[in-house]
Amino acid sequence: MNVRVQMEDFDVSREIAAVRAGNPRIGAVASFVGVVRDLNDGSSVAEMTLEHYPGMTEKSIEAIINEARGRWDVMNARVIHRVGTLKPLDQIVLVVVASGHRGDAFAACEFIMDYLKTRAPFWKKEETPNGGRWVDARAADDAAAERWQKNP
Amino acid sequence: MITLLYFARLRETFGKSSETLALPAGAATLETVRALLAARGGAWAVELAPGRAFRAAVIQDVANGDTPVKDGDEVAFFPPVTGG
């Protein structure tokens, strides 16, 4: 499965090996790992809970990967996003893109991540010393996704 | 009847994660549904007011006010997404 939403942690090496498996035409693999920080918007974060919209989440990420396939030479791609309770240092998200050459792999990986931030239905709730708070969407993420529309 | 789903902060504010709703006779859009819910007043009127930063989906695709809604559809309301 190239799109997975799961509670469990993931092993980056194993996922990269699976994405590359058996294809000698792959010349480049780019990966991105998002991790939980212990500080956000000036408050310390003890843990966070990630909620999602089952069904729509998988569908929207598959659409994002397909869009990347239409723009770059993507031979294989995989996205894993964790949900449930996560603590600082935990891995949250993995994007792996395999291509013939590094330029396409880097670009498609960044594109998938930027679109995932603004389109995939996940929500973070952080536990801070002042209690739980839902994370607000960032204008910076919208801007990061928008630049792909101006300069494909 | 349509199935309504609420997520994250909206789920907490509305005090429920899902419900069913009867559509009025005639053609309906997402705006029809939004207006029906906002007419409940209180948190519904506040959170689903025009111009508020909420998002919606019809049958798991991002939707806007003009998106048609028909019997049997799954309609979701949620805050702007914050994954990754």
Side-chain angles (χ1 to χ4, degrees), chain A residues 120-135:
Chain A
F122 292 97
W123 302 273
K124 290 187 185 119
K125 187 177 191 180
E126 297 173 336
E127 289 303 325
T128 75
N130 298 320
R133 68 173 185 194
W134 289 99
V135 175

Side-chain angles (χ1 to χ4, degrees), chain B residues 4-76:
Chain B
L4 286 164
L5 302 176
Y6 310 111
F7 290 96
R9 193 177 52 75
L10 290 187
R11 173 178 51 75
E12 288 187 351
T13 305
F14 296 154
K16 59 174 80 178
S17 58
S18 69
E19 65 179 313
T20 55
L21 184 78
L23 287 176
T29 63
L30 183 64
E31 171 56 23
T32 315
V33 178
R34 185 208 64 78
L36 274 175
L37 295 175
R40 291 173 173 175
W44 300 89
V46 173
E47 297 293 345
L48 300 178
R52 282 287 284 202
F54 65 85
R55 302 284 184 267
V58 175
I59 327 177
Q60 303 188 353
D61 276 324
V62 172
N64 60 43
D66 298 330
T67 305
V69 176
K70 60 184 188 312
D71 258 348
D73 283 356
E74 178 177 292
V75 177

